[in-house]
Amino acid sequence: MHGQQLDFLGPFHVRSDDQALFINLVIDGVPAVDAIVVTKDAGDAWLDRYVHAPGVPQPSQPPLSAEVVPIRAQWSKALPVGEGYYYVVIDNSSTVGSVAPPSMPTIPLLPSALAAADPAALVNVVVQVGDTP
């Protein structure tokens, strides 16, 4: 994913109160990204603002979880949640979460140089729903 972008994964359906979201991430390309979990209602509103307005908006409600995922580490989290639907949002922006991608140069660039300067992140992710550990 490119710098100054969000990636909305889901919504994932948790069928009972004794289940959890299991999130596994490995990233490369930037020092870190944020992994954020929100309810479907909060995620739908956030996604709508992200698609229809310029820039990267903040979520309208506090997230259920917000974690920093460092580069090249096998990062895992089991998040017990209640019955419902949830989004996992990957943040590679400087406006949401705790980390920010490296800044892009402010000088005009040729298209090939722009691709090299983009603080893109390679994100490998698996999200599963299962019984709470």
Side-chain angles (χ1 to χ4, degrees):
M1 62 187 294
H2 294 283
Q4 304 310 318
Q5 287 189 338
L6 303 173
D7 194 2
F8 288 78
L9 309 173
F12 297 97
H13 186 200
V14 175
R15 298 182 191 280
S16 70
D17 288 340
D18 60 348
Q19 290 191 313
L21 289 173
F22 295 86
I23 307 164
N24 296 287
L25 284 160
V26 176
I27 66 138
D28 203 353
V30 295
V33 298
D34 294 292
I36 301 167
V37 178
V38 295
T39 64
K40 182 180 183 308
D41 290 343
D44 286 344
W46 192 11
L47 178 58
D48 185 65
R49 286 192 322 278
Y50 181 60
V51 169
H52 293 102
V56 178
Q58 294 286 331
S60 58
Q61 298 175 17
L64 301 173
S65 175
E67 304 271 342
V68 173
V69 179
I71 190 170
R72 296 186 198 106
Q74 177 70 43
W75 182 88
S76 298
K77 178 162 183 91
L79 182 64
V81 291
E83 181 179 347
Y85 289 86
Y86 300 89
Y87 283 99
V88 176
V89 181
I90 309 302
D91 166 42
N92 189 28
S93 77
S94 56
T95 56
V96 178
S98 334
V99 298
S103 298
M104 290 180 61
T106 56
I107 56 173
L109 297 171
L110 300 172
S112 60
L114 181 60
D118 182 12
L122 173 64
V123 181
N124 294 295
V125 60
V126 174
V127 179
Q128 297 174 301
V129 176
D131 292 337
T132 301

